[in-house]
Amino acid sequence: MIRTLGLISALALATAIGGCATMGSTSSDSAPPAVSATTPVDYVRDVHSYARPEIARVRHVALDLTTDFAAKTLAGTATLDIDGAAGATEIILDIRDLDIRSVTDASGGALQHQAGANDPIMGQPLIIRFPALAAGETRRIVITYATRPNAAALQWLTPAQTAGGQQPYLFSQGQAILTRTWVPTQDSPGIRQTWDARIVAPSQLKAVMSAEMLTPEGEAAGAGNTAWRFRMTNPVPPYLIALGVGDVAFEGIDERTGVWTEPMHLHAAHEELTPTAEMVDVAERLYGPYRWGRYDLLVLPPSFPFGGMENPRLTFATPTIIAGDKSLVSLVAHELAHSWSGNLVTNATWDDFWLNEGFTVYFENRIMEALYGEERALMLQSLGWGDLQSTLADLPAADTRLKLELVGRDPDEGLTDVAYEKGAAFLRTIERIVGRERFDAWLTGYFERNAFRPMTTERFLEDIRTHLIRGDQTLEAQLMMNAWIYEPGMPSNWQPPVSNAFAPVDAAARAFAAGGPASAIPWANWSTQERQRFLAWRPPVPPATGRWMTDAQLADLESTLNLKTEGNAEVLFAWLQIAVQHRYEPAVPTLEHFLTTMGRRKFVLPLFTSLWAQNEWGRPIATRIYARARPGYHPVTFNSVDAVVGRPQ
């Protein structure tokens, strides 16, 4: 940080003191007009960005890029519209592993630019100098550049890594700070930008992006290429700029929702995701209008590292949610909810990540309750509570606070169940104490008041104290907000969720662990959530050996419940965790197939971590499987696993 400050001119610093910018918005196609706060944005320092938006900031990004699947690069231009404090003479962008070929002004005149020292997490600052800005002036800068084959946001898939097996595929994943590996901009969640793009790709492929598609049929671009144009007129944080290029097809669900995926999987994906349309309607009834026009999903190849990514207008989703029975559609509810919490009101820095995910898990559960009933919602809450208890036990105390301190660390280290489940638990506690009707009125207003603006924990506290607590000191004490946010662990006013549906499941788990047969388990009558609960059960006091089942019990469970052929990824993952913890050798082929056919980090990282913990039994298995699996993983996944297993030689 000190190094970056040294690169800023004295004039820019002097003129920027107290400087702020107003964030505006326009609407896109059928979206309701964006409602943006009119007060200036008071930017907070983002320790994961070199940018100084209080001096000069990016307002709009225009991309013109050509895909090269042979070289595994994107090349072209990024045209940035910037504004800033009167007298500012430079802007600082974030870049990582980008080849910057030239920087010019709008008329083509060369601009002085310099890339600073490289940081392994943050990349480099790109300092661009220009004649001093006049008050209220917007300046245009054109950067000609190319990505590198190792760009961490991009995964270039061979035809063999796709379902169709005939065409290559490209997709991006920008969260948290990876957009800087393919777009030179101010890569901070608090610096919202509108954008447009022209993407040139081979004509047998189609480009899709997290924006309004302006050319549904594409435009001829010569040499066997087609150009696709997009625009996003609502200002978004850069991590939400997303691109997919492949052999994909589309089928609508209703007039504003639909599914993209590879043609051979389109029917199954469409059938699985039909609840999406009703989810949008429910979400609007809960917390106000959906402001992004369309809500479509792109079901990606199996190497996609996350369950879903809430890219505006086009959620990117893992194929592991296609279970055949709509049992995992809560993931869609989650990504949809981000259209309010995260995309509309965004954490200003990654220290405040809970403001995105805690709100979204709460909102997701309300959508599921409205569609599938209170008991389904309680089961999901209870499963999340169980995950949170494991996370709290494993993390350092400082990382169990909602407000994090991630200076000098990769922001991915904050992507834990604390942000998701403890954050949601905090909001449920507020709801329980003040009542749902009153809480819903505040939350609807929170989204409206703070639309298209960055949010910090401190601004959240100011908002809730102003609009909900309203000086009621008794209520303030009951809510224990500072304890939830700034202290480790769980405050004393939390009440764990209780699902009555899980009582017989727990009884069946105890009976089996005590020696009962697997045939007595009513597996066929259980929902996915009940099956997950059964497989997540552990003895209250674990045996010293760490094993609570014999090999005979494991074999009975695997055979009777058909776990070798289980098609539900969540259930299979839960079973494989048991198998690894018990060093159950017959499950290793199933484990290897699972780890080499999908790259979702939620499953991959815990399984390799469990294998590594099994020392002389598990480490050789982990090393062997990882050497085979790693080439098919996205950098988000393999960077995490590398830290556990090490990079294969």
Side-chain angles (χ1 to χ4, degrees):
M1 301 306 112
I2 295 174
R3 180 177 67 247
T4 305
L5 285 171
L7 296 168
I8 301 174
S9 67
L11 173 62
L13 277 173
T15 57
I17 295 174
C20 298
T22 300
M23 302 188 74
S25 169
T26 58
S27 62
S28 63
D29 62 358
S30 60
V35 179
S36 181
T38 57
T39 55
V41 171
D42 182 15
Y43 291 104
V44 298
R45 189 75 176 95
D46 181 358
V47 300
H48 293 107
S49 172
Y50 295 104
R52 295 299 304 272
E54 74 278 13
I55 297 171
R57 79 171 189 92
V58 177
R59 293 190 63 88
H60 183 81
V61 178
L63 301 173
D64 191 339
L65 299 173
T66 297
T67 61
D68 186 333
F69 280 88
K72 297 183 178 179
T73 61
L74 293 169
T77 60
T79 301
L80 310 182
D81 290 345
I82 65 170
D83 61 21
T89 59
E90 63 188 22
I91 188 168
I92 302 179
L93 309 180
D94 297 299
I95 62 171
R96 178 177 157 196
D97 294 329
L98 288 182
D99 292 325
I100 305 299
R101 295 171 177 170
S102 68
V103 181
T104 70
D105 60 23
S107 61
L111 293 176
Q112 182 184 1
H113 61 281
Q114 170 189 349
N118 187 55
D119 179 89
I121 295 174
M122 291 176 54
Q124 299 170 278
L126 178 63
I127 306 97
I128 301 172
R129 296 182 176 89
F130 41 75
L133 288 174
E137 180 184 5
T138 297
R139 188 71 59 79
R140 181 159 290 178
I141 293 172
V142 181
I143 303 171
T144 303
Y145 73 102
T147 64
R148 297 178 185 172
N150 65 336
L154 305 177
Q155 187 166 20
W156 301 84
L157 303 179
T158 66
Q161 292 174 294
T162 68
Q166 300 298 313
Q167 301 294 342
Y169 203 113
L170 164 67
F171 67 85
S172 70
Q173 171 51 49
Q175 196 180 42
I177 57 171
L178 300 183
T179 294
R180 66 192 67 182
T181 70
W182 76 285
V183 179
T185 189
Q186 292 176 315
D187 189 14
S188 170
I191 308 175
R192 303 181 74 103
Q193 301 153 31
T194 56
W195 61 276
D196 62 75
R198 176 179 179 267
I199 304 295
V200 177
S203 295
Q204 65 270 29
L205 306 180
K206 192 177 187 75
V208 293
M209 296 191 79
S210 53
E212 179 187 1
M213 181 183 285
L214 301 179
T215 51
E217 304 305 321
E219 303 171 335
N225 290 323
T226 297
W228 309 89
R229 296 180 185 269
F230 307 88
R231 70 178 176 193
M232 171 52 69
T233 55
N234 285 335
V236 297
Y239 71 86
L240 293 177
I241 303 173
L243 168 67
V245 180
D247 178 16
V248 295
F250 175 79
E251 185 172 355
I253 296 172
D254 70 355
E255 69 280 356
R256 61 173 173 173
T257 64
V259 180
W260 291 92
T261 194
E262 293 185 71
M264 68 181 298
H265 290 322
L266 182 58
H267 177 73
H270 179 270
E271 290 302 301
E272 190 83 4
L273 300 174
T274 53
T276 300
E278 192 173 1
M279 285 181 178
V280 177
D281 295 338
V282 167
E284 288 190 311
R285 290 197 295 269
L286 282 168
Y287 296 122
Y290 177 78
R291 299 170 184 259
W292 306 91
R294 293 197 60 82
Y295 182 77
D296 296 324
L297 297 109
L298 172 65
V299 180
L300 286 155
S303 60
F304 184 61
F306 295 150
M309 184 62 214
E310 63 272 16
N311 304 311
R313 297 179 61 98
L314 187 64
T315 280
F316 283 19
T318 171
T320 63
I321 67 168
I322 310 301
D325 59 2
K326 300 181 175 64
S327 62
L328 302 180
V329 294
S330 61
L331 182 142
V332 178
H334 182 93
E335 305 310 330
L336 169 64
H338 268 305
S339 302
W340 287 259
S341 50
N343 298 4
L344 191 63
V345 183
T346 311
N347 50 238
T349 75
W350 298 108
D351 288 351
D352 295 304
F353 184 58
W354 80 272
L355 292 168
N356 276 21
E357 296 299 348
F359 276 72
T360 297
V361 171
Y362 173 84
F363 193 168
E364 163 204 344
N365 198 253
R366 291 292 302 276
I367 294 172
M368 294 301 290
E369 178 182 328
L371 281 177
Y372 299 104
E374 184 179 9
E375 195 55 58
R376 173 81 170 268
L378 281 170
M379 286 194 288
L380 291 167
Q381 286 183 38
S382 185
L383 290 171
W385 168 253
D387 292 340
L388 176 60
Q389 299 317 295
S390 299
T391 300
L392 293 174
D394 291 341
L395 287 177
D399 287 349
T400 67
R401 300 173 300 179
L402 289 179
K403 174 76 173 186
L404 296 174
E405 295 179 5
L406 294 171
V407 61
R409 301 165 64 187
D410 192 312
D412 271 10
E413 294 184 35
L415 274 64
T416 73
D417 277 320
V418 172
Y420 291 74
E421 297 295 342
K422 182 179 177 181
F426 177 31
L427 298 181
R428 290 190 195 107
T429 300
I430 300 173
E431 179 207 310
R432 172 174 53 81
I433 292 172
V434 306
R436 176 167 285 189
E437 182 177 355
R438 187 176 170 189
F439 180 77
D440 280 353
W442 169 76
L443 187 51
T444 301
Y446 170 86
F447 291 138
E448 181 69 21
R449 286 186 295 274
N450 300 292
F452 302 105
R453 292 173 59 81
M455 178 60 60
T456 65
T457 295
E458 291 65 37
R459 291 171 190 160
F460 155 79
L461 287 170
E462 180 182 359
D463 190 284
I464 198 169
R465 285 174 172 144
T466 299
H467 298 283
L468 181 64
I469 298 174
R470 298 179 178 178
D472 186 336
Q473 295 304 307
T474 300
L475 178 57
E476 174 91 25
Q478 286 180 298
L479 296 179
M480 300 178 63
M481 294 192 298
N482 285 347
W484 275 96
I485 292 168
Y486 298 114
E487 295 179 12
M490 299 296 289
S492 59
N493 66 347
W494 168 238
Q495 295 179 6
V498 177
S499 169
N500 293 329
F502 283 159
V505 176
D506 292 346
R510 289 192 297 270
F512 179 75
S519 59
I521 301 167
W523 189 258
N525 299 325
W526 281 348
S527 66
T528 290
Q529 288 70 40
E530 288 165 311
R531 294 177 178 185
Q532 287 179 269
R533 173 72 172 210
F534 176 84
L535 293 171
W537 183 89
R538 301 291 187 270
V541 181
T545 62
R547 296 169 58 97
W548 63 96
M549 297 186 203
T550 65
D551 282 350
Q553 285 178 302
L554 292 164
D556 185 19
L557 204 64
E558 182 182 51
S559 174
T560 304
L561 305 186
N562 297 314
L563 293 172
K564 281 186 178 180
T565 58
E566 175 59 55
N568 185 302
E570 293 281 357
V571 174
L572 182 56
F573 166 71
W575 157 243
L576 291 173
Q577 281 283 60
I578 293 173
V580 170
Q581 290 162 9
H582 286 78
R583 303 187 178 190
Y584 182 59
E585 196 73 33
V588 172
T590 305
L591 172 70
E592 183 162 6
H593 181 265
F594 189 61
L595 290 172
T596 56
T597 55
M598 65 85 217
R600 186 176 175 184
R601 187 172 65 173
K602 173 185 176 180
F603 301 143
V604 168
L605 180 59
L607 285 170
F608 276 113
T609 301
S610 295
L611 276 170
W612 207 250
Q614 296 302 320
N615 297 317
E616 73 281 356
W617 180 83
R619 293 188 178 189
I621 297 172
T623 301
R624 174 175 58 80
I625 294 176
Y626 191 43
R628 183 180 163 210
R630 189 182 187 276
Y633 291 162
H634 186 277
V636 165
T637 297
F638 70 60
N639 285 335
S640 296
V641 182
D642 282 355
V644 176
V645 178
R647 184 167 182 169
Q649 299 301 314

